[in-house]
């Protein structure tokens, strides 16, 4: 199959096809992908799959030998992605959300449109009921306004649904925080349609992410499945309001299964849409918070919080800052390649991510570096 004139390579094409061949079973697709090392290897071994995947069921073996339809559909999809300026992120790609790589049921392929780096230093999911009360709206407004003050590069993630989701996205936009919506359908449509204006703003100040090809409708099961991506691409999940059952609770429990931090705002005893939050807190499945500061302290994001609080009262930058050897190491790396994330700086200097975060805070206090939107650091010259 010729790739001439296209921006994708064969591996991308085969990765898309794999997601269809596996019967849309994410765990099977990912297991095969990891086992073979690439979708291309799986395609090249399609006629003797028994030898490379001995435990393959007869049904899956038959599916893995019939690539033609899946490849045609995938090539058409890639043509559309190219036209619509939609990025295809494969599991092994550097810009694939690395937090999601830690999850056993991560999608082999994601489709993304937007400006936000999905590997930002700080990412928080804000989730809850579709029947958000005035109490819930106040919680979201205060939480995100405070989050912007204490952690101005934090990315707010939600599902662009009614209720808590849309209030989280809109408050993030209004507070100049980047925000990413994880969708339960393809990027050729938007559900609910009335959130289109917000979604358009998010493309400039965040992005829209999905595991679904175009022409995939917003079926009920897709909403449940997308919750794992909301939980998986973030450091923590904050449950604002929830009844005793609901998507927000599912997301919170998935986050806990991924060993991510889970927080919940308490509500009045007997309040319908606080029952789920109160239950998680009671069962020690979520930490009780009343503010963004509570969450940041629990997450040990203290250095960022201290920096922003110090900036609020005014700190004079040192005109001739004295740098420690490790601080100088980071400065030397940024002098060669500027605007790097803490994770990249950790890799390049072989200093632990915890130490790098502390060192960057110290350098920012000294007026040597500046944190940019998206979690990268800029050397002030």
């Amino acid at each position: 199959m010729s790739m001439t004139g296209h921006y994708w390579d064969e591996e991308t094409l085969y990765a898309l096809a794999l997601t269809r061949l596996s019967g849309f079973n994410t765990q099977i697709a990912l297991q095969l992908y990891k086992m073979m090392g690439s979708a291309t290897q799986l395609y090249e071994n399609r006629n003797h799959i028994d030898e490379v995947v001995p435990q393959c069921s007869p049904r899956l073996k038959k599916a893995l030998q019939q690539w033609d339809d899946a490849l045609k559909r995938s090539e058409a999809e890639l043509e559309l992605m190219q036209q619509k300026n939609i990025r295809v992120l494969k599991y092994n790609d550097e810009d694939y959300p690395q937090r999601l790589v830690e999850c056993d049921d991560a999608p082999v392929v994601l489709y993304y449109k937007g400006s936000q780096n999905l590997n930002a230093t700080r990412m928080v999911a804000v989730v809850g009921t579709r029947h958000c009360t005035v109490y819930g709206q106040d919680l979201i407004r205060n939480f995100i306004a405070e989050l912007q003050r204490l952690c101005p590069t934090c990315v707010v993630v939600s599902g662009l649904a009614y209720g808590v989701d849309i209030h989280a996205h809109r408050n993030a936009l209004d507070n100049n925080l980047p925000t990413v919506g994880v969708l339960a359908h393809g990027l050729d449509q938007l559900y609910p349609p009335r959130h289109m204006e917000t979604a358009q703003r998010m493309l400039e100040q965040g992005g829209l992410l999905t595991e679904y090809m175009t022409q995939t409708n917003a079926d009920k099961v897709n909403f449940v499945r997308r919750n794992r991506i909301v939980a998986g691409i973030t450091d923590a999940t904050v449950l604002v309001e929830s009844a005793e059952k609901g998507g927000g609770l599912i997301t919170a429990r998935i986050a806990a299964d991924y060993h991510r931090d889970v927080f919940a705002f308490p509500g009045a005893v007997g309040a319908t849409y606080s029952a789920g939050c109160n239950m998680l807190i009671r069962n020690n499945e979520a930490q009780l918070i009343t503010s963004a500061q509570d969450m940041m302290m629990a997450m040990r994001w203290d250095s960022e919080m201290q920096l922003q609080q110090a900036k609020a009262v005014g700190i004079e930058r040192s005109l001739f800052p004295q740098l420690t050897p490790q601080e100088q190491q980071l400065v030397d790396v940024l002098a060669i390649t500027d605007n790097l994330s803490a994770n990249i700086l950790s890799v390049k200097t072989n200093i632990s991510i915890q130490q790098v975060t502390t060192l960057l805070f110290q350098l920012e206090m000294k007026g040597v570096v500046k944190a940019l939107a998206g979690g990268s650091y800029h050397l002030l010259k």
Side-chain angles (χ1 to χ4, degrees):
M1 192 171 294
S2 172
M3 304 292 137
T4 307
H6 301 311
Y7 78 102
W8 68 82
D9 54 20
E10 289 191 346
E11 173 60 21
T12 302
L13 181 66
Y14 295 141
L16 264 68
L18 172 60
T19 64
R20 301 188 70 80
L21 289 175
S22 56
F24 306 100
N25 185 315
T26 305
Q27 284 178 302
I28 286 177
L30 183 59
Q31 201 176 353
L32 290 166
Y33 191 78
K34 284 175 159 180
M35 196 179 295
M36 299 303 297
S38 72
T40 304
Q41 279 295 311
L42 195 63
Y43 175 75
E44 289 176 352
N45 287 281
R46 64 193 181 282
N47 292 323
H48 46 95
I49 205 72
D50 282 346
E51 296 172 24
V52 289
V53 190
Q55 66 272 43
C56 190
S57 69
R59 183 179 174 184
L60 184 57
K61 176 186 171 183
K62 185 177 179 183
L64 290 173
Q65 290 174 337
Q66 300 172 344
W67 287 69
D68 288 354
D69 288 345
L71 286 171
K72 283 177 187 172
R73 175 69 176 87
S74 299
E75 186 159 11
E77 187 71 10
L78 287 168
E79 291 276 9
L80 190 61
M81 298 295 100
Q82 190 170 2
Q83 292 167 21
K84 301 287 185 183
N85 198 27
I86 294 169
R87 289 162 61 197
V88 178
L89 308 176
K90 303 187 297 300
Y91 184 83
N92 284 339
D93 290 345
E94 191 176 316
D95 49 359
Y96 184 95
Q98 294 306 299
R99 292 170 180 85
L100 204 53
V101 171
E102 300 167 11
C103 308
D104 290 337
D105 53 358
V108 171
V109 172
L110 288 166
Y111 305 96
Y112 182 55
K113 188 164 188 176
S115 55
Q116 175 55 44
N117 171 18
L118 297 175
N119 289 301
T121 309
R122 304 285 182 239
M123 298 185 72
V124 173
V126 178
V127 299
T129 179
R130 296 183 181 210
H131 307 280
C132 190
T133 68
V134 172
Y135 169 68
Q137 292 173 36
D138 287 344
L139 289 177
I140 295 166
R141 184 169 57 253
N142 293 331
F143 175 81
I144 289 180
E146 187 183 15
L147 187 64
Q148 195 281 332
R149 288 196 302 273
L150 299 177
C151 192
T153 60
C154 189
V155 181
V156 174
V157 178
S158 200
L160 207 64
Y162 291 112
V164 169
D165 288 18
I166 193 62
H167 285 289
H169 291 305
R170 286 173 179 163
N171 276 280
L173 290 168
D174 291 344
N175 282 278
N176 294 314
L177 281 178
T179 182
V180 172
V182 183
L183 307 181
H185 50 74
L187 288 172
D188 57 333
Q189 56 179 295
L190 189 77
Y191 180 85
R194 67 173 61 179
H195 293 169
M196 181 63 78
E197 185 183 345
T198 301
Q200 290 295 336
R201 288 177 67 196
M202 289 168 66
L203 294 179
E204 302 301 319
Q205 193 180 313
L208 301 176
L209 181 70
T210 185
E211 66 178 311
Y212 298 107
M213 285 188 179
T214 57
Q215 300 173 44
T216 304
N217 293 325
D219 297 330
K220 188 176 180 180
V221 66
N222 294 355
F223 286 98
V224 177
R225 283 166 57 89
R226 72 96 188 271
N227 290 340
R228 79 190 196 287
I229 298 176
V230 173
I233 67 172
T234 51
D235 302 297
T237 291
V238 176
L239 187 65
V240 177
E241 281 191 303
S242 174
E244 288 185 333
K245 293 182 180 177
L249 273 180
I250 293 170
T251 306
R253 286 179 167 142
I254 293 170
D257 287 343
Y258 288 160
H259 306 293
R260 308 291 166 81
D261 289 85
V262 178
F263 302 96
F265 281 99
V269 173
T272 302
Y273 294 111
S274 288
C277 294
N278 292 343
M279 177 179 65
L280 284 191
I281 294 166
R282 183 191 68 217
N283 296 341
N284 294 318
E285 294 178 88
Q287 300 177 63
L288 184 153
I289 59 168
T290 60
S291 65
Q293 181 166 333
D294 288 351
M295 182 202 74
M296 291 189 65
M297 288 176 68
M299 293 293 291
R300 297 181 182 171
W301 292 354
D302 305 41
S303 61
E304 282 163 87
M305 190 164 67
Q306 289 163 10
L307 174 65
Q308 297 311 320
Q309 288 173 335
K311 279 181 176 177
V313 297
I315 289 181
E316 288 186 17
R317 63 177 276 186
S318 170
L319 292 177
F320 303 99
Q322 297 295 311
L323 303 185
T324 67
Q326 284 192 318
E327 287 173 348
Q328 190 63 54
Q329 254 187 289
L330 296 183
V331 169
D332 290 345
V333 171
L334 287 170
I336 297 168
T337 310
D338 205 1
N339 303 341
L340 297 177
S341 69
N343 289 330
I344 298 296
L345 285 166
S346 175
V347 171
K348 286 183 175 286
T349 58
N350 205 25
I351 301 173
S352 72
I353 186 65
Q354 292 82 3
Q355 281 180 288
V356 166
T357 302
T358 302
L359 291 166
L360 286 168
F361 164 66
Q362 292 166 356
L363 287 168
E364 199 166 359
M365 292 284 281
K366 292 176 179 180
V368 177
V369 301
K370 175 186 177 183
L372 302 176
S376 60
Y377 286 83
H378 174 68
L379 184 61
L380 296 171
K381 296 171 184 176

